[in-house]
Amino acid sequence: MISKILAIAKQNGKEGLYYRFDLLLYIFNFIVEITVYIFIWLAIYNNGNQIQGMTFEQITTYYILVVSLSPIINWGINEIMGNAIREGEILRELLNPISYFNYYFGIRIGELIESTIVGVLTFGICSILFGVLLPNGILNFLFFIIIVFLAVIVVYFFELLIGMTAFYTNSIWGVEIFKRAVLSIFSGMIAPITLFPEFLQKIANFLPFKDCIYTPINIYFGELTNMEILQVIMKQYIWIVVLYIIAKIIFNKAIKNITVNGG
Amino acid sequence: MIRNIKLYFSFLVASLKRMMEYRVDCIVGMVSQIAFQIIELVFIWIIFQTTDNIADWSFEHLLLLYGVMMLSISVTDLLFDSTYDIGKRLIRKGKFDTILLRPVHPLISVLGESETSTALGYMILSVILIVSMLIKLQVSVTLFLILKILYFGILGGFIIGGIQTIFSITGFWTYKSNEVVWSVFQLHKLAEYPIEIYNKFIRILITIILPFAFASYYPTLDYLGLNESNLIFIVPLIVIVIWIIAINVWNWALKKYRSTGS
């Protein structure tokens, strides 16, 4: 099963890497984004503000990591899945000798390969341009990677759920945008969650998205104890199981009354 | 010249009508654009939880600047949206050859094919932001000011649209959807914030090399009555220069153009 998933991942990843020039432009866009953030915060720090015990180097590193992680979290399967359902490709996908969930997981891993390359290059270039803090110890860095990977699986199930709305509505745009909005606010992409007003912090603590961006970066800084890190990992596993069950139930129901357009 | 402009608008009206046919897509595009902008506004709101000004710009000033940029963007989006995908939509499919046969400059035909559903989203948001912030900042909203805002909004749209048009010629060689134009367009984000916060390199980039700041920053200073340098008066000049460059670059690209033969 795993070899099948990897084969699909490899194929999908290669397709993405074919457009190498586009990847360079994505990196360029990410650097522009980081530049804006850094100069805004520089202006705030120049006012003599102390921000929640974060130094300027930390906030710079925070945003470089956020933007480098953002493709890894954001580049999902929704576009491919939505198109496949709209254009009738879904019929072929359902007949594949690999289950629908595994097939799309393979595609998600393919996207992950591509986005990791973009993320690492963005991080590398920005660390030269702006300077970054290194991770607090090798162990923390390993935990950082593990938690990001688990977060990708959590996000993958959300993407599946969103994609499946296309079985009913034929268009996933609305839900997809909603996901993007929720994700970018409550994962800590736009700002460290400790800077949020209290009621937003409460919502962020409840949702799993915090562990996609904010938590791994804090682990990178070494702000969490090993015990807390294990708790985060447990929480992610629970989310994965719960979301898997929900997705499976909905999928089994949706597949029965699927209508295919000219497929 | 007049004939070309007339033709451009009749092309544009035709393609906008074509777009309106797909009402749902239209609404979705609009709503999504507003949603993405709101995320950025949430960002500005959150950073103002930690500070009361950025380079002496208050929260209201910053939102006004943001709204002014949005207005220019909405004009760009409405009029010059087709610069994005000439490679994919026209060149690769050979459709560009039919455009060359028309008795009108190809640039007019291409620009006239703009059809965008996001422009209205930008426009609604920018009007809400500009009006509410002007009232909040107790700037007296006179008819003259409204006309001025519209005037510089349109000119700002032409600045950004001109820059896009210059870079759109890359589509002649890449034959695909133009990530280059998108990347250049994304640089407008730098000018959504006061240029005082940047270092010299970025200031030169967004005022002289790619003058995005004249679509947002300088007009905003003027509306607020803070315009000491009077740089605002060179905006029409900038528009003219950019479009002279754009047209010449396009003519040069047309000479180099080779059909894909499809």
Side-chain angles (χ1 to χ4, degrees), chain B residues 57-72 129-130 133-134 137 139 145 148-149 152-153 191-196 212-228 231-232 235:
Chain B
W57 285 61
S58 71
F59 181 59
E60 288 80 12
H61 286 130
L62 217 64
L63 288 195
L64 178 66
L65 176 62
Y66 198 90
V68 171
M69 184 48 123
M70 280 306 104
L71 186 63
S72 298
L129 278 177
I130 292 174
M133 288 309 127
L134 282 178
L137 288 164
V139 177
L145 185 64
K148 203 154 73 173
I149 291 172
F152 284 115
E192 279 172 356
Y193 298 93
I195 64 170
E196 290 98 323
F212 287 113
F214 287 94
S216 61
Y217 175 77
Y218 290 106
T220 309
L221 281 187
D222 188 74
Y223 307 152
L224 291 170
L226 300 168
N227 187 16
E228 288 139 12
L231 271 172
I232 193 81
V235 171

Side-chain angles (χ1 to χ4, degrees), chain B:
Chain B
M1 185 69 193
I2 301 286
R3 175 175 162 273
N4 276 342
I5 292 169
K6 263 189 186 161
L7 274 171
Y8 165 70
F9 277 107
S10 59
F11 285 147
L12 188 69
V13 168
S15 54
L16 287 179
K17 274 185 186 157
R18 199 176 337 135
M19 185 198 74
M20 295 288 197
E21 288 283 296
Y22 302 94
R23 215 158 290 160
V24 177
D25 284 352
C26 200
I27 293 169
V28 164
M30 201 178 86
V31 172
S32 64
Q33 209 49 55
I34 293 181
F36 285 128
Q37 301 311 319
I38 285 176
I39 297 172
E40 295 205 28
L41 295 177
V42 172
F43 166 70
I44 297 177
W45 179 65
I46 285 174
I47 56 175
F48 272 93
Q49 307 289 313
T50 64
T51 180
D52 55 359
N53 74 78
I54 291 177
D56 292 329
W57 285 61
S58 71
F59 181 59
E60 288 80 12
H61 286 130
L62 217 64
L63 288 195
L64 178 66
L65 176 62
Y66 198 90
V68 171
M69 184 48 123
M70 280 306 104
L71 186 63
S72 298
I73 293 287
S74 73
V75 174
T76 311
D77 208 22
L78 184 68
L79 300 180
F80 309 111
D81 173 67
S82 58
T83 50
Y84 277 119
D85 52 357
I86 57 166
K88 185 179 168 192
R89 195 166 42 89
L90 300 175
I91 313 259
R92 193 201 298 167
K93 292 186 180 159
K95 238 181 110 188
F96 194 69
D97 295 347
T98 42
I99 284 177
L100 283 176
L101 292 174
R102 288 184 191 165
V104 54
H105 194 285
L107 185 54
I108 298 285
S109 289
V110 169
L111 292 182
E113 291 201 352
S114 295
E115 45 174 66
T116 169
S117 51
T118 50
L120 199 59
Y122 281 125
M123 213 170 278
I124 292 170
L125 198 68
S126 71
V127 170
I128 294 173
L129 278 177
I130 292 174
V131 172
S132 58
M133 288 309 127
L134 282 178
I135 292 169
K136 251 197 156 164
L137 288 164
Q138 291 171 328
V139 177
S140 53
V141 185
T142 57
L143 181 66
F144 179 63
L145 185 64
I146 293 171
L147 289 176
K148 203 154 73 173
I149 291 172
L150 283 176
Y151 174 69
F152 284 115
I154 292 168
L155 287 184
F158 272 85
I159 290 178
I160 302 172
I163 294 172
Q164 279 181 201
T165 306
I166 293 172
F167 285 92
S168 71
I169 62 157
T170 48
F172 283 104
W173 290 276
T174 57
Y175 303 127
K176 55 180 190 170
S177 202
N178 223 319
E179 303 290 345
V180 177
V181 180
W182 174 249
S183 297
V184 173
F185 170 75
Q186 281 301 89
L187 288 171
H188 84 269
K189 292 221 167 302
L190 292 165
E192 279 172 356
Y193 298 93
I195 64 170
E196 290 98 323
I197 67 171
Y198 295 115
N199 61 15
K200 225 180 217 154
F201 172 74
I202 296 177
R203 280 191 208 188
I204 291 173
L205 178 71
I206 60 174
T207 51
I208 297 169
I209 303 172
L210 301 167
F212 287 113
F214 287 94
S216 61
Y217 175 77
Y218 290 106
T220 309
L221 281 187
D222 188 74
Y223 307 152
L224 291 170
L226 300 168
N227 187 16
E228 288 139 12
S229 52
N230 284 331
L231 271 172
I232 193 81
F233 295 111
I234 66 168
V235 171
L237 200 70
I238 291 174
V239 172
I240 293 168
V241 171
I242 286 182
W243 278 94
I244 288 174
I245 296 173
I247 291 166
N248 280 310
V249 165
W250 250 78
N251 285 336
W252 174 79
L254 283 176
K255 272 187 209 139
K256 299 267 172 193
Y257 168 72
R258 282 158 71 195
S259 174
T260 51
S262 39

Side-chain angles (χ1 to χ4, degrees), chain A residues 113-153:
Chain A
I113 295 168
E114 203 185 321
S115 55
T116 305
I117 293 170
V118 171
V120 169
L121 286 175
T122 307
F123 184 83
I125 296 170
C126 286
S127 57
I128 295 165
L129 283 176
F130 303 106
V132 288
L133 297 171
L134 290 175
N136 192 306
I138 293 175
L139 191 65
N140 276 327
F141 186 63
L142 281 177
F143 277 130
F144 168 81
I145 291 172
I146 290 169
I147 288 184
V148 169
F149 185 71
L150 288 174
V152 168
I153 301 177

